[in-house]
Amino acid sequence: MKYFAIFLFLIGFFVPVFAQQDDVHFHGDLNAWNWESERENQFFRNDTILFSGWSNAYQDWGGVIQTPHSTFEIQILDPAGVSIFNDKFEADEQGNTSFEFGLDEKAEFGRYELKTKIHKDGFETYDVDYRYFFVIPRENEFVLAQNYPLELWFDQNNVQFGTYENVFWKMCPFPAQNDLKEFADPASHREVGKGELSFYIEYLDPNGERKTESTSYGHDICERIGQWTILADPAGKWTAQATARWFDGEKFYEIKSKPKEFVVNEPLFASNQITTIFRSSDYTEIRLLDWSPDGQNILLSYSQALEDGVPYSKLATFNVNSKTITDLDIPDTIFKEPYELIYGQFSPSGEQVYFSNLSNREIYIFDMKQKTNTDTGIQAVSFSTDQQGNIFYAKEGKATSTGGNPEFHLLKYDTKTNAAQEIANDPDFWSFDINADGTKILYRKTTDSGDGWAKRDLAIYDVNTKTSTIISRVENADCGSQPIFAPNEELIIYHIQGCTKGWSGGSLGITDMNGNSEVLIPPTNDNPAYFVISPDGSHLVYRYPSYVNGTATVGLYQMTLAKPVPEFGAITALILSLSLISVTIIGTKFRKNS
């Protein structure tokens, strides 16, 4: 009886181990690779393919269970669906297996299907998802197609740096689509479906680096023109050539266009002299706000988690010489809400800091020498200051009787007399910048709108004449950080980003009042939404997220401009003389981001 009890105990112990439970899932995979060509799932004739398989089980709570000595049942079907390989392999102690399979010199071109079943006692058989590989031609197996001319041309032969060059191609006549078979292109690595051609264009940039854009195309290009775009960066002479390839089941054909050249003009301000001036994981959500008039400090805000783990905002300065951040002695009670946005700006003397937050929208003045903080009593949606120290601020009015957007009233507050007067109102004055003498308002003006969308253009409102001028040649400026005046007031610096969910990147630009503009920071996923320019117009500092050993950090980068932003009168002549075309960049003294 004692031994029977022991037997029952052992049965109770082993059954849970080998019986599959509802929260335990057995799975695996099989991958194909060739070490010589360093290709995955695309191989040449006479290649030896290394197949590597793995298997294990996992529980819903995340634990992994080893499945030693599982069995892999593998079948390979050629493009005609005929089985050319069928075998079983036992995995090792870790549940892994591998084997080699050689392709001969007559292996059929096309897609080969892999059918893999993985067995393990105590688990349901696992069918690996659809896997395949291609046998592809070598470059010397393509023959020149006759009577299929491929044309390539550009939108412009001289392109502005940082913009996108439009590249067009056309092929007429077009091969009969019923004759086009499935294949993989060894040059572009693209898999091309039945009835399609492989098209790719290869660029050689001024630095000698090659860039390739590829697609597969199944339309008659006698009727439709193909189009690509390429970012015009770096500057210099570019060469481009297009190639079309196809497979008729017997031979591989290709046709190449004549090589074409285009020139990316040297930028006036942008340069590749970029250095990292600060990097830290202790500060999150750094927002660059302003650069002090003496050029020594940058005003910024950042978020810092307190004991409850919730980030609260701080206002601080970054010394450009010591590369250190120093908090301003402002009571924490002013910044009451988590993740709070702070707007700030130095006074004309640099001895005070004007700032506000979103929780109560109060505007404060912090004295840098006296370490005192004064509440102006002004509540505003946004604000900007002129060179006399006057504060221009926007207050939200009531909604219109027609149900449209509410108007924003723009007021001027004299810091010497503490008197305020309204100077303008407009539904688009929710964010703006003011010029040095307080007579021009820079903002984004809604020029068209519909259900759920709006088109906005950069615009300048003249306080004296009560009229607005639209800078319409700057395209895609609907959304982004608040545009600002450069110190000479003949330039506008603006940021562009998407208005809706999707691409989170952006770019920076500078333009004159006629819309002649230049890219300084081309479109990038590392959105340069927060930036400042030194008072002398020679340096740009902007924030990018960065990663060090997998840890998210904040990086501040400084670009030394190729040419400092010029004084009054010089910029328009320089831009027009170089025939700069409208796009995006950045320029000089920063007042405020919003």
Side-chain angles (χ1 to χ4, degrees), residues 432-433 442 481-486 491-495 531-533 586-593:
F432 65 94
D433 187 40
L442 173 60
S481 301
Q482 169 60 43
I484 61 171
F485 285 105
L491 289 175
I492 292 171
I493 304 156
Y494 60 95
H495 167 249
F531 57 93
V532 288
I533 295 294
I586 210 163
T588 170
K589 180 181 175 185
F590 182 83
R591 293 176 182 268
K592 162 181 99 280
N593 268 323

Side-chain angles (χ1 to χ4, degrees), residues 467-514:
T467 58
S468 290
T469 301
I470 296 173
I471 307 173
S472 57
R473 287 181 59 191
V474 178
E475 299 178 348
N476 303 316
D478 305 72
C479 297
S481 301
Q482 169 60 43
I484 61 171
F485 285 105
N488 60 18
E489 299 183 14
E490 295 183 20
L491 289 175
I492 292 171
I493 304 156
Y494 60 95
H495 167 249
I496 288 179
Q497 68 180 24
C499 296
T500 58
K501 293 181 179 179
W503 184 57
S504 59
S507 61
L508 290 169
I510 190 169
T511 180
D512 66 8
M513 302 305 170
N514 297 315

Side-chain angles (χ1 to χ4, degrees), residues 389-437:
N390 298 310
I391 300 175
F392 292 76
Y393 62 98
K395 293 180 68 70
E396 185 174 358
K398 296 181 179 179
T400 62
S401 58
T402 59
N405 293 329
E407 287 195 335
F408 290 88
H409 299 267
L410 193 62
L411 294 92
K412 175 182 178 181
Y413 175 79
D414 190 320
T415 55
K416 298 182 178 65
T417 64
N418 296 327
Q421 66 177 51
E422 182 171 335
I423 59 173
N425 62 80
D426 190 279
D428 292 318
F429 281 166
W430 54 272
S431 181
F432 65 94
D433 187 40
I434 199 80
N435 69 341
D437 63 7

Side-chain angles (χ1 to χ4, degrees), residues 193-214:
K194 184 178 180 180
E196 295 183 333
L197 277 72
S198 168
F199 281 92
Y200 65 91
I201 183 168
E202 188 174 52
Y203 304 92
L204 181 65
D205 74 15
N207 296 331
E209 295 184 5
R210 296 186 181 275
K211 304 176 182 180
T212 301
E213 296 283 346
S214 67

Side-chain angles (χ1 to χ4, degrees), residues 376-398:
T376 64
I378 299 173
Q379 287 190 319
V381 175
S382 61
F383 76 93
S384 182
T385 64
D386 63 16
Q387 290 303 301
Q388 287 70 50
N390 298 310
I391 300 175
F392 292 76
Y393 62 98
K395 293 180 68 70
E396 185 174 358
K398 296 181 179 179

Side-chain angles (χ1 to χ4, degrees), residues 329 351-353 365-374:
D329 191 15
E351 296 179 354
Q352 290 86 34
V353 168
I365 301 177
F366 178 75
D367 191 290
M368 301 282 284
K369 291 184 176 180
Q370 302 296 327
K371 309 298 182 183
T372 56
N373 195 54
T374 302

